[in-house]
Amino acid sequence: MNYTKPSSIAFVSKTDSAAYERIRAQIKFYSPERGYGFIKRENKQDIFFTNKTLEKCGIKDLQENDLVEFDLVPVPGKGGKAVNIKKVAK
């Protein structure tokens, strides 16, 4: 049986950051103990991130209301998840 990938589906590599939307927003909630947090966006759904993502980005300290810049990876049925997070000076 031969399988042909449908032409209407686009596959994007996780390392292809040019395919993601770069956003600047503030930390809404972060709990290192729970291992996750959310970034608030005005008039849009909050964005999820994990401690593992922060570790990969080299971020060791993060507080509520800190300004960050990140790539938004779409997640069907959810707001998306943040990758390539960087703290930004206010």
Side-chain angles (χ1 to χ4, degrees):
M1 173 186 239
N2 291 335
Y3 175 77
T4 304
K5 180 173 57 172
S7 61
S8 62
I9 298 176
F11 292 92
V12 178
S13 166
K14 287 185 178 183
T15 58
D16 186 8
S17 62
Y20 303 137
E21 180 182 359
R22 193 79 180 155
I23 298 172
R24 187 177 284 204
Q26 286 185 313
I27 300 298
K28 175 180 182 177
F29 167 82
Y30 175 56
S31 173
E33 297 80 22
R34 292 183 180 175
Y36 67 91
F38 291 93
I39 300 170
K40 63 183 169 185
R41 297 173 61 201
E42 289 224 10
N43 304 319
K44 295 191 179 182
Q45 194 168 8
D46 294 341
I47 304 301
F48 178 78
F49 66 90
T50 64
N51 280 352
K52 191 171 185 173
T53 301
L54 294 179
E55 289 170 10
K56 286 181 182 179
C57 297
I59 297 176
K60 297 183 190 315
D61 62 329
L62 195 61
Q63 307 273 329
E64 289 180 13
N65 297 316
D66 279 352
L67 187 61
V68 292
E69 192 172 82
F70 61 96
D71 292 327
L72 177 60
V73 177
V75 176
K78 300 180 181 185
K81 68 178 182 177
V83 296
N84 301 323
I85 302 171
K86 294 181 182 176
K87 281 180 74 170
V88 179
K90 290 185 180 182

